[in-house]
Amino acid sequence: MLPLDFIDLIEPQMGLELDSFCRSLQQEPVTSVRINDKADLNLPWAGRVPWCQDGWYLHERPQFTLDPLLHAGCYYVQEASSMFVEHILNTCLKPDSLVLDLCAAPGGKSTLISQWLGHEGLLVSNEVVRQRVFILSENIQKWGNGNTVVTHNRPADFGQRLPNLFDCVLVDAPCSGEGMFRKDTKAVDEWSLRNVEMCARRQQDILMDVWDTLKPGGLLIYSTCTFNQKEDEDNTRFIIEHLGADLLHVPLQKEWGITETLGYHFYPHKTRGEGFYIAVLRKHEEHYQPLKIRGEKKKTAVPVECEQELRTWLKHPDEWALRQEDRFSIAYPVRYKELIDFLSTRLTCISTGFGVGEMRGKSPAPQHALAMAKDFCQDKFTSISLSLDKALAYLRCEAITLTDQPFGVLLLTYQDIPLGFAKNIGNHCNNLYPKEWRIRIL
Ligand code: SAM
């Protein structure tokens, strides 16, 4: 049952479409995934998401958790409407950009942006809520681009410590979640007019706090998964009038069924996806002082005797800078080395680029994130292909036995896609899959 106050609030906005809109909120949600360019997948597709090159609808919702390819980062289960971010990026941004995804967990839009930026750009993917930042980091590592720094900071940390830095800031704001009504009954139970007001105020606070980190002339993408105008159009108007920006238009195709107001609404009775709102704005141009980038803390170099070996594990070793954090060697884009070193002095960085090796005695052992990375040079390890049952046992962190295989570190794959490492010690293998990522259902 939809809350009566919600129907009253939305009625003027929907006019004659109110009935079909409300009916669509009682229907089953649409299932869609976005595939990673590291995989060539063959799922039971039910058509393309028209505004996103790698987005696909599925006929039904499979039990994704039992598909090893999900855990290998071959695709991300993402609601179709929010993939519209890709269409906006194609229209309004260049790939050699510095992008901040401010409210990023669990990482749907961040994995999309990281794929879109590829080798050319850099993404800072931030989450303020501590319990959510680890799933964000996990999803980023599984996606495997290595062009992302995951941070755990308040919006004001960016505005105050990093003025005029980013070419693009995405604020996918926490909201009253009306667009989630048919996916999540909790969203219906928790909805109230008071909560709408509270969310709208919090969204304005977030926008004000982060605003100064966006360069003049830079792009602000503001989105929510809610329908009401207080959190959507009113806040877009707030950005235009109080913060100082112009609204941008992106080309649409009529058959997408997207409703253009001050921004774009995805209403489920018209568009194939869940409820979503997004607006694109350009911050007014003005003369500004670019932020001085200097790495203030000296970074620890990887031990020389290991560096050569670590670099042989990468397909394009020259594209990566390496540094040591405790026992771990991490790789991050060499073209952004100075900036990333600088960011680590200003922000709480949870993960940077991807982990390559871990010092065990004198020589390095590969880290799990290496197996997920797109730049991983797979042939440097002996690969063992696993059956579905064995792959799931591995992903549950169970002990597995591999008979007649060489001793030492082995790369385990499923349908030729790396799942992670194990160490064969003869009578059994030490399972090196990260414990905190293991599948918990049987
Ligand atoms: N962008 C994500 C994605 O595509 O997977 C979804 C983000 S969700 C709509 C909003 C996020 O904002 C949540 O992860 C939430 O923890 C975070 N958040 C909550 N309060 C916040 C605040 N005051 N400032 C910034 N982010 C906040």
Side-chain angles (χ1 to χ4, degrees), residues 339-393:
L339 174 60
I340 292 173
D341 289 347
F342 171 74
L343 290 177
S344 71
T345 68
R346 291 285 192 280
L347 299 171
T348 304
C349 297
I350 301 295
S351 57
T352 300
F354 60 96
V356 186
E358 177 182 355
M359 288 308 295
R360 298 253 176 92
K362 280 206 173 113
S363 56
Q367 275 192 70
H368 182 76
L370 175 70
M372 301 289 100
K374 292 180 190 175
D375 210 52
F376 173 38
C377 193
Q378 229 171 297
D379 357 322
K380 287 290 178 285
F381 294 85
T382 306
S383 282
I384 311 292
S385 171
L386 298 183
S387 63
L388 176 62
D389 285 350
K390 276 221 161 132
L392 289 173

Side-chain angles (χ1 to χ4, degrees), residues 76 101 103-109 127-129 132 155 172-174 202 206:
Y76 189 94
D101 182 2
C103 313
K109 296 180 192 66
E127 172 56 45
V128 73
V129 176
R132 291 171 62 81
D172 185 34
R202 180 169 61 185
I206 293 173

Side-chain angles (χ1 to χ4, degrees), residues 229 232-243 262 277 281:
Q229 297 187 347
D232 295 345
E233 282 85 347
D234 289 359
N235 279 341
T236 295
R237 205 168 291 112
F238 172 81
I239 301 168
I240 296 171
E241 292 172 3
H242 293 268
L243 299 177
L262 198 65
Y277 167 83
L281 302 111

